[in-house]
Amino acid sequence: MISRRKFLAATSLTGASIVTGNKSFSNFVEQSTILNSPIVISTWNFGIAANAAAWEILKNKGRALDAVEKGVHVPEADPTNSSVGYGGLPDRDGRVTLDACIMDDLGNCGSVAALEHIIHPISVARLVMEKTPHVMLVGSGALQFALEQGFKKENLLTPSSEKAWKQWLKNAKYQPEINVENRLFSPTKLPGNQYNHDTIGMLAMDAAGNLSGACTTSGMAYKMHGRVGDSPIIGAGLYVENEVGGATSTGVGEEVIRNVGSFLVVELMRQGYPPEEACKEAVMRIIRKKPNTAKEIQVGFLALNKKGQYGAYAIQRGFSYAVCDGNNQKLMVKAKSYS
Ligand code: SD4
C-alpha cells in the first residue's frame, strides 16, 4: 500500500486533488512547483524589499535561517515603516517595544518580547536560540542580554511616530482597527507611511530544501505597556516544521495566540491541507469561536510547505504578501477572504 507521504509526493501539483479525512482539495492556485527550489515569502508589501535581501543569501545557496534574518532586517531598520523595528509606533506610554522570533529547520527557536532600544530584535532572538539554553527573553532581561552581546542601545521613536502617538493621546482610545488596506483595498498605507499594525512574517526554503522562518513587529500601536502579541510566540506568530512547512501570522495577535494559529496551520499541512486551505481553516477557527469580534479585526496567515507551495488567507480582504523565487518577485493581494 502506498504510504501517505509517498502519495503526497507522487501527486502532480498542478490541478492536484488531495483527499484528507473527508475533505477534498482541488485546483489550489497559489503555488511554486519546483521541489527544493529556493523561495522566500513574506507578509505585506514591505515584504518585497525584505524578500530581495533574503534572496541574496538564497541564490548563493545560503541557509534559509540566514536569509530570513537578513530579510527582515530591512523593515526593522526602515524608519518609514511604523509597524516594525525602528520607527515602530509606540505603546500608550510612548515606548517602542518590539517582539520577534526565529525558527530553523532543526526545530531550534529563539524569541524576544517587549524589547526596547534595539533596532534588530530578530538578531537578538537568534542569539537567544544559539547562545542560551532558553527560548524566550523578555523586557529588561532581553535588553540586558542584547547589550551583553554587543548590540547598541538606540532611540527607536522617530519624530513621525512620536507625532502620531501625541495625536493619539488626544483621545487615547485603544481599539484595534480593521487594517486600512481593507477599507481602501490597496496595499496597506496610512498618510505619512503610518501602519497601525502589520508584522513582517517571513518563510524561506533554501537550495538544500530546508525551511526557516522569522517574525518581527512593534506590535499593536498604543498597546498597554508590557503587552506581548503573537509575533514572538512560537506556535502562534510563527512555526516551522522542516518535514512539513512553515506558517506565520499578522493581525490582532490575541486571537492568534488563543488559537495557536501558526502551529495549527503547519499541523493541517501535515494532514495534507494545501497551504491556502490550512490558512483558511485557521482563520475559520477564530471566526467560529468569536463571529462578532472577527468582523471587527484582521488576522492573516501565510504558509509555505515543503514542496515550495504557498498560500494565505485572512479575515478581511486586502491582505497582501510578497513572493520571491528568483525568477519572480511578486506581490499577491488577497481579493477574496472571509469577509
Ligand atoms: C501583534 N500580530 O502584536 C501583531 C501585530 C500585527 O499586523 O501584525 N499586525 O498582535
Side-chain angles (χ1 to χ4, degrees):
M1 204 177 84
I2 188 164
S3 71
R4 173 169 202 85
R5 181 166 296 173
K6 279 194 187 131
F7 165 70
L8 291 178
T11 306
S12 97
L13 298 177
T14 307
S17 182
I18 294 177
V19 181
T20 174
N22 52 12
K23 203 168 160 64
S24 164
F25 305 108
S26 57
N27 297 322
F28 43 98
V29 281
E30 295 159 13
Q31 57 187 264
S32 160
T33 55
I34 307 164
L35 191 64
N36 286 359
S37 172
I39 182 167
V40 55
I41 63 176
S42 53
T43 51
W44 304 113
N45 56 355
F46 45 62
I48 292 177
N51 285 356
W55 187 256
E56 289 303 305
I57 294 182
L58 295 174
K59 79 173 182 203
N60 292 318
K61 299 203 174 351
R63 204 177 159 200
L65 180 67
D66 296 322
V68 295
E69 181 189 10
K70 288 289 174 304
V72 302
H73 274 182
V74 175
E76 281 185 339
D78 179 357
T80 70
N81 183 324
S82 59
S83 56
V84 181
Y86 178 50
L89 289 169
D91 64 20
R92 49 174 76 175
D93 298 348
R95 296 163 76 159
V96 180
T97 67
L98 306 178
D99 293 342
C101 74
I102 194 160
M103 192 161 187
D104 75 6
D105 53 299
L106 302 169
N108 299 310
C109 47
S111 160
V112 289
L115 172 63
E116 294 181 69
H117 307 300
I118 304 292
I119 284 190
H120 291 303
I122 199 69
S123 295
V124 185
R126 181 166 177 174
L127 291 180
V128 172
M129 171 173 93
E130 292 178 342
K131 296 205 165 171
T132 81
H134 307 305
V135 166
M136 189 167 196
L137 293 177
V138 306
S140 58
L143 177 60
Q144 183 186 333
F145 172 71
L147 297 175
E148 281 164 12
Q149 294 299 317
F151 288 83
K152 218 171 105 203
K153 190 170 178 180
E154 318 209 36
N155 174 22
L156 304 183
L157 187 65
T158 54
S160 80
S161 287
E162 187 172 11
K163 192 169 156 209
W165 168 62
K166 288 194 169 142
Q167 184 64 27
W168 176 84
L169 276 179
K170 288 184 184 156
N171 293 318
K173 182 170 164 231
Y174 180 66
Q175 188 178 13
E177 285 182 31
I178 298 182
N179 54 342
V180 173
E181 71 279 7
N182 179 51
R183 274 187 251 131
L184 304 179
F185 197 49
S186 66
T188 178
K189 209 151 219 197
L190 289 168
N193 274 347
Q194 299 287 334
Y195 305 87
N196 71 335
H197 62 91
D198 283 346
T199 296
I200 184 154
M202 177 178 279
L203 303 162
M205 182 165 66
D206 59 30
N210 288 323
L211 297 162
S212 288
C215 186
T216 176
T217 188
S218 51
M220 303 298 289
Y222 321 127
K223 59 195 173 187
M224 289 175 70
H225 182 63
R227 179 265 189 189
V228 170
D230 58 322
S231 306
I233 311 282
I234 297 295
L238 177 74
Y239 197 70
V240 175
E241 166 63 65
N242 202 42
E243 293 301 304
V244 179
T248 189
S249 64
T250 179
V252 178
E254 281 74 5
E255 298 309 323
V256 178
I257 295 171
R258 287 184 180 112
N259 291 277
V260 201
S262 291
F263 180 75
L264 174 61
V265 171
V266 172
E267 286 305 301
L268 290 167
M269 291 196 293
R270 190 196 298 278
Q271 292 170 29
Y273 279 60
E276 181 174 338
E277 292 296 329
C279 293
K280 182 176 179 183
E281 175 56 22
V283 162
M284 293 312 295
R285 296 269 174 107
I286 293 170
I287 291 167
R288 280 188 216 112
K289 280 184 197 164
K290 293 190 176 185
N292 292 331
T293 312
K295 280 187 219 133
E296 305 301 323
I297 61 165
Q298 174 65 308
V299 171
F301 291 101
L302 177 64
L304 174 69
N305 72 13
K306 189 69 174 172
K307 295 176 193 164
Q309 299 166 324
Y310 53 86
Y313 203 83
I315 296 177
Q316 314 290 343
R317 66 183 188 154
F319 174 38
S320 63
Y321 62 98
V323 178
C324 177
D325 63 5
N327 308 317
N328 274 312
Q329 167 77 279
K330 56 189 172 192
L331 184 72
M332 316 284 289
V333 182
K334 296 293 293 178
K336 223 176 66 185
S337 268
Y338 170 73
S339 62

